[in-house]
């Protein structure tokens, strides 16, 4: 009995693999999309040294102020354009050609030379809220630096308390070190949920489920026969992404591969559960895929804590993130990559994933029918 | 010809709207997601938990700590007894920030001798870490200038944020999310439309009719376009009513731009559909386009900051132009000339993708 | 002991009984045919017997077991082939066999099976790329794995040519010698006549059960009796044909195929095919699965681009002016390919619109069609939910909506019961009499008799063209089926 169980499951798994190999779209989602995303994150997106395009309008004729304009020009943080015509500068801000503007009033140097606070106008494009923060702070930083080395500096004194800022685990707060491991969590979610959401629906649509159910296949066979192949595919994809991250793009990895694979497999187990649950309930590929995107993928992307901080959400939403499996894996994998294995983090996240995955497995098992539904 | 297209359009509408489940799946998720994301997501850091190692234990050090306590960013403050404690709090992510005050803190301040405090930020949540570090430094600097005000020349920065005075992140998020959700819905509606007919065998029936490839395309374009335009406008309206999104521009241009932007996305969707044999391929194909399109739209990081090669690629990204226009019209009251230059790019994308899709119909007849 | 014993079985879907208080015994070691119109309850009955569904009331015992309670014990003893054969189309022949062998816990020794089914040459071909006949054999081979005691085949011969059907029957009969019982549902009455027992179902009830020859000595007589049992067929004037008016274009040949060639790599799917069809003629394309008749058919209506040659419809070249050529053409596809989610009325409206009808003319035409095709009752029903016979009527109604002078029908009667088919052919012959030119493919040899001329395809070539009588004479045969078999056999030698 034991042996024939294994034999049946083996046959089902093998069959599923043939189907995976023959459909280019499963390879696309398991290897091409992860690679594409990693490449985009590595080369296309830059979250650290944002260079803000700013317009400068100088109304102060004093010669010393020219050096301020030059400091803006030389800064590595901003790309500055000097305008003569204020209206043109305003228009360029509306056109999104500029993200911010600095206007030096004509009495700027007068105030400074009298050792009085002198007004400097900084205007940002608030419609690009993220960039506006940079467009606010970079000119302030540059202008203060200029002031400290300018001829007006003599009255300045150093601040009494200096904050010494250090970032642990990621000294230069290089965002690639963070977004790329995070991308692994996202693509694993994608394989686990989107791909598996289609596979049981497909068997019903194509009429092969009926043939399967007429053999001695049991519920447990059907369920494990779906879990195992997508588990293997997902793990292969995860290993591939890890390889690209660590070996090709040289993202520092301080943790243990064994821990990543162990918690990763728990995570995948949970995701496949979500996908199969959708698939067994909907039996229609269009609906299954839409549901998978709406229920599984978008929350994973937006609410897992990778893109947006969970602590800043309203309390109700913070609780809600606890039912998103990706949340746990994101926390774990970031910590594992940057801080190494922290047992407490491994343990807490694993328990959550295990409980979730187990519950989902049981639900999928219960929901998998051994008979055709009452429809002719 | 118009009759034939009209018949096809009517049929497409019926096919999309007939099934209540498919109607639900088109309308409910985007709106629900918009509501959730608008309420939940912010880039501002709130509720930061921190640990303090106060080696000084003086009035001054406690004053500094209470500055943290009183600021709106920090929530819980734990007290550590030693270095090890601090490490443990950070390592297990109980806190995101640690403040260490040395025992010479108070004496230094009293003598007017510059002292330093250590701020340690958990760098694992990298994007949050930078912001937290900034906040913490601000608190310390503010306290510093409070107890010893600077004299002499200084620059008083007068900061104005145009179009969004309080830098409401939600407004930005709403505009971007609407564009993304419109993309996702439009793409799915169109990418599946031809692939599904192929899988079910009804596409042959269309080919055998006197419909030309152009007519088929027209018939396949209009219904998803109308549905997604309505959905998009509804989401914008909802944002204005419920989230007080300011609307500065012209409704006329918003309408025109939405139609043209979604038209170009329909083009991409139909092109993907024309390549695919099965629904599964179409779903995954649409997804393969959509992820990079969102990432390279300027939503996550500004386009002008990307490498030159990638910047060229973004000329093929309808989402990028769509975001520029919606933000421009809604927030800034963008001028028609500027709107039009973006619309031309979108029309070009639509023209190329739709021609390619039409060409693929002919070729796919093997 | 009987293989299956059923007492007062009832199964109800949405208040409509699919199986209605039915009692039946299926004898051991026999082939029992299950005959009935679409929706008569054949598939439901089979699913109840195999335990795939549970009855609402009544008793059922299959191989001495209760299929509802002992499904797990029963399944290994049954070989079941569902409609569409239950094959994984993206697996190869041998992979399908291996898969089902593992599920049924039998050895991977397919040598005999492959030889038997002539599939050994195609072992590594994807099941989805096999012809209908080969799929059917493979489906049967999979069902036969593990030597089941009871073989249940749900419409195994739909869309399969006569030679393949004969071979299939031979295969099953050989296995029968080992004491196996077979339940076989079919719409082909000649096939049913060769079974040991025939069970005729009508609206969930058994209306005949017994030896087919006791009903009629020949298959023709048997057919006549079955028709009587099913309520009889009364030939009426075809309202459909009556409503059609064919314009006179003054052309002698309305459909022409000129040197059509289709090549895939080195393989000729169609080799230099030329024929001309006169106005009002019914021209039949016959041939085994995979002989090239479908490909020819597709090239004729512009679904497939010919490697060489072209086709003309009402004198218009299908390649040069596709839209104009197609506007003369009514087309009915092999499987039901109208929009299943739309209602009958919406489908008609769509096709009327697509063919350029508008306004009042369109409305009149649609209403006329609904009346003529007897679709009044179903106007607001989703077309996917119609009984097969009505689906087929609707397809024909859509194909004829624009009053085309030429009608292309690709296996229009696959899987359709005998009464519906007779009715259908009444319309077709009447349409031809009114001057509509008809190109048709079919696997029913009795239908071939209705054609004015036939082109018999084999291996990409038309091996014989002529009237049914000419072909019979040529093949020295009495029936079309024999003609078909003889001509193909003489050619393959």
């Amino acid at each position: 009995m034991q042996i024939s169980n294994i034999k049946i499951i083996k046959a089902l798994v093998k069959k599923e693999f043939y189907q995976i190999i023959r459909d280019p779209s499963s390879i696309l989602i398991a290897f091409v999309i992860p690679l594409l995303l990693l490449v985009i994150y590595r080369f296309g997106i830059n979250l650290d040294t944002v260079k803000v395009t700013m317009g400068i309008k100088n109304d102060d004729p004093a010669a010393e102020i020219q050096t301020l304009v030059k400091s803006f020009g030389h800064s590595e943080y901003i790309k500055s354009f000097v305008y003569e015509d204020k209206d043109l500068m305003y228009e360029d801000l509306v056109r999104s050609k500029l993200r911010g503007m600095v206007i030096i009033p004509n009495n700027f140097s007068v105030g400074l030379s009298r050792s009085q606070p002198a007004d400097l106008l900084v205007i940002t494009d608030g419609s690009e809220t993220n960039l506006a923060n940079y467009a606010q702070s970079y000119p302030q930083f540059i202008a203060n630096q200029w002031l400290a080395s300018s001829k007006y500096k003599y009255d300045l004194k150093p601040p009494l308390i200096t904050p010494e800022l250090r970032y642990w685990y990621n000294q230069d707060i290089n965002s690639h070190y963070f977004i790329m491991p995070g991308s692994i969590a996202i693509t694993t979610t994608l394989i686990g949920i989107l791909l598996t959401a289609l596979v049981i629906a497909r068997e019903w649509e194509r009429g092969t489920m009926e043939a399967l159910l007429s053999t001695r296949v049991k519920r447990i066979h059907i369920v494990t026969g779906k879990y195992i192949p997508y588990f293997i595919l997902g793990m292969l994809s995860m290993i591939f992404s890890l390889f690209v991250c660590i070996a090709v793009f040289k993202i520092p990895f301080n943790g243990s591969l064994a821990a990543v694979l162990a918690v990763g497999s728990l995570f995948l187990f949970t995701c496949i559960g979500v996908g199969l649950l959708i698939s067994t309930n909907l039996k229609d590929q269009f609906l299954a895929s839409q549901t998978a995107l709406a229920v599984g993928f978008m929350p994973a992307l937006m609410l897992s804590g990778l893109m947006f901080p969970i602590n800043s959400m309203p309390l109700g939403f913070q609780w809600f993130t606890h039912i998103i499996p990706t949340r746990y894996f994101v926390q774990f994998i970031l910590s594992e990559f940057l801080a190494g294995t922290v047992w407490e983090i491994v343990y807490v996240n694993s328990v959550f994933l295990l409980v979730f995955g187990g519950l989902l497995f049981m639900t999928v098992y219960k929901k998998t029918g051994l008979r055709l539904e009452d429809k002719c | 010809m118009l009759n034939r297209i009209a018949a096809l359009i009517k049929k497409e509408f019926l096919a999309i709207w007939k099934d209540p489940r498919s109607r639900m799946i088109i309308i409910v998720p985007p709106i629900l997601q918009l509501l959730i994301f608008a309420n939940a997501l912010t880039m501002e850091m709130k509720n930061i938990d921190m640990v303090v190692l106060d080696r000084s234990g003086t009035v001054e050090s406690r004053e500094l700590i209470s500055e943290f306590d009183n600021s709106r960013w920090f929530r819980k403050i734990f007290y550590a007894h030693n270095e090890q404690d601090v490490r443990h709090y950070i390592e297990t992510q109980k806190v995101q920030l640690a403040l260490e005050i040395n025992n010479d803190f108070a004496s230094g301040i009293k003598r007017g001798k510059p002292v330093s405090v250590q701020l340690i930020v958990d760098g694992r949540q990298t994007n949050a870490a930078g912001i937290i570090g900034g906040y913490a430094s601000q608190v310390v600097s503010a306290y510093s200038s409070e107890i010893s005000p600077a004299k002499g020349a200084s620059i008083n920065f007068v900061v104005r944020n145009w179009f969004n005075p309080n830098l409401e992140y939600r407004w930005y998020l709403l505009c971007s999310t609407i564009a993304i959700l419109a993309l996702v819905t439009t793409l799915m509606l169109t990418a599946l439309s031809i692939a599904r007919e192929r899988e079910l065998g009804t596409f042959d029936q269309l080919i055998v009719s006197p419909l030309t490839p152009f007519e088929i395309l027209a018939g396949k374009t209009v219904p998803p376009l109308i549905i997604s335009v309505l959905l998009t406008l509804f989401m914008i309206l909802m944002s204005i009513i419920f989230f007080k999104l300011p609307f500065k521009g012209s409704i006329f241009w918003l309408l025109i731009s939405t139609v043209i932007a979604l038209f170009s996305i329909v083009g991409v969707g139909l092109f993907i559909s024309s390549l695919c044999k099965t629904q599964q391929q179409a779903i995954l194909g649409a997804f393969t386009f959509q992820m990079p399109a969102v990432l390279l739209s300027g939503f996550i990081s500004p386009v002008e900051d990307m490498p030159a090669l990638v910047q060229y690629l973004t000329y093929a990204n309808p989402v990028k132009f769509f975001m520029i226009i919606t933000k421009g019209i809604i927030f800034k009251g963008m001028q028609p000339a500027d709107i039009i230059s973006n619309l031309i790019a979108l029309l070009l994308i639509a023209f190329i993708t739709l021609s390619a899709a039409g060409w693929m119909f002919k070729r796919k007849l093997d | 002991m009987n293989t299956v014993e059923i007492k007062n079985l009832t199964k109800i879907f949405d208040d409509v009984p699919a199986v209605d208080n039915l009692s039946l015994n299926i004898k051991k070691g026999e082939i029992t045919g299950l005959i009935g119109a679409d929706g008569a309850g054949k598939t439901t009955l089979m699913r109840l017997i195999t335990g795939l569904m549970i009855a609402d009331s009544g008793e059922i015992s299959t191989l001495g077991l209760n299929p509802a309670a002992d499904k797990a014990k029963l399944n290994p003893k049954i070989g079941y082939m569902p409609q569409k054969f239950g094959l994984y189309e993206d697996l190869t022949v041998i992979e399908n066999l291996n898969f089902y062998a593992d599920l049924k816990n039998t050895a991977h020794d397919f040598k005999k099976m492959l030889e038997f089914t002539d599939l050994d040459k195609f072992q590594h071909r994807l099941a989805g790329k096999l012809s209908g006949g080969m799929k059917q054999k493979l489906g049967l081979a999979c069902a036969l794995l593990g030597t089941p005691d009871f073989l249940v085949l749900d419409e195994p011969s739909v869309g399969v040519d006569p030679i393949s059907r004969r071979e299939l029957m031979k295969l099953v009969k050989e296995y029968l010698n080992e004491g196996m019982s077979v339940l076989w549902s079919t719409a082909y009455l000649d096939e049913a006549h060769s079974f040991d027992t025939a069970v005729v179902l009508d609206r969930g009830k058994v209306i005949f059960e017994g030896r087919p020859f006791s009903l009629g000595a020949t298959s023709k007589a048997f057919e006549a009796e079955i028709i009587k049992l099913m309520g009889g067929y009364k030939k009426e004037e075809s309202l459909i044909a009556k409503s059609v008016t064919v314009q006179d274009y003054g052309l002698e040949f309305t459909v022409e195929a000129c040197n059509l060639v289709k090549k895939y790599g080195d393989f000729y799917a169609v080799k230099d095919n030329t024929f001309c069809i006169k106005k009002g003629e019914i021209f039949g394309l016959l041939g085994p699965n995979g002989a090239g008749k479908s490909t020819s058919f597709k090239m004729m209506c512009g679904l497939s681009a010919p490697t060489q040659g072209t086709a003309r419809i009402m004198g218009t070249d299908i390649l040069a002016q596709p839209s104009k050529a197609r506007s003369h053409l009514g087309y009915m596809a092999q499987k039901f390919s109208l929009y299943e989610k739309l209602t009958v009325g919406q489908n008609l409206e769509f096709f009327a619109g697509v063919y350029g009808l508008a306004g009042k003319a369109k409305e009149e035409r649609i209403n006329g069609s609904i009346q003529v095709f007897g679709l009044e009752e179903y106007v607001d029903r989703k077309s996917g939910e119609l009984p097969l016979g009505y689906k087929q009527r609707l397809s024909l109604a859509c194909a004829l909506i624009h009053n085309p002078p030429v009608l292309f029908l690709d296996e229009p009667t696959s899987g359709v019961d005998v009464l519906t088919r007779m009715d259908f052919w009444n319309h077709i012959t009447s349409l031809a009499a009114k001057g509509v030119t008809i190109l048709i493919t079919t696997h029913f040899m009795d239908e071939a008799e209705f054609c004015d001329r036939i082109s018999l395809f084999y291996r990409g070539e038309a091996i014989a063209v002529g009237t049914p009588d000419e072909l019979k004479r040529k093949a020295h045969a009495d029936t079309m089926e024999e003609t078909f078999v003889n001509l193909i056999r003489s050619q393959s030698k």
Side-chain angles (χ1 to χ4, degrees), chain B residues 262-330:
Chain B
L262 293 174
F263 178 54
S264 71
I265 296 173
V266 167
V268 175
L270 286 178
F271 174 61
I272 293 172
S273 203
S274 72
L275 293 174
C276 295
K277 276 199 220 100
T278 62
Q279 293 186 62
Q280 179 175 345
Q281 288 175 359
I283 292 164
L284 300 181
F287 196 82
T288 312
F289 171 78
Q290 157 185 326
M291 273 301 274
V294 170
L295 290 176
L296 300 177
S297 65
F299 170 53
I300 310 266
S301 80
V303 173
E304 67 258 29
D305 231 28
M306 295 168 186
L309 185 70
V310 181
Q311 285 195 39
Y312 285 119
L313 273 179
T314 64
Y315 282 105
N317 185 359
V319 194
K320 174 185 111 170
F321 297 108
F322 190 25
M323 281 193 183
I324 293 178
I325 306 180
T326 44
K327 269 185 219 143
I329 293 177
I330 291 175

Side-chain angles (χ1 to χ4, degrees), chain C residues 31-46:
Chain C
I31 302 184
T32 304
L34 206 52
I35 301 141
D38 176 70
K42 291 177 299 199
T43 300
T44 309
L45 184 61
M46 287 185 153

Side-chain angles (χ1 to χ4, degrees), chain C residues 280-298:
Chain C
E281 202 177 17
I282 304 178
F283 192 83
L285 291 179
L286 263 59
N289 299 100
K293 62 179 183 341
S294 258
T295 314
S296 299
F297 194 88
K298 281 188 173 158

Side-chain angles (χ1 to χ4, degrees), chain A residues 22 203 210 213 216 371-372, chain C residues 68 71 80 88 103 105:
Chain A
R22 301 230 162 94
E203 295 231 21
E210 192 176 346
L213 294 181
R216 53 183 188 135
R371 292 197 163 80
L372 301 173
Chain C
K71 181 170 178 287
Y80 174 63
Y88 287 93
L103 292 190
N105 204 17

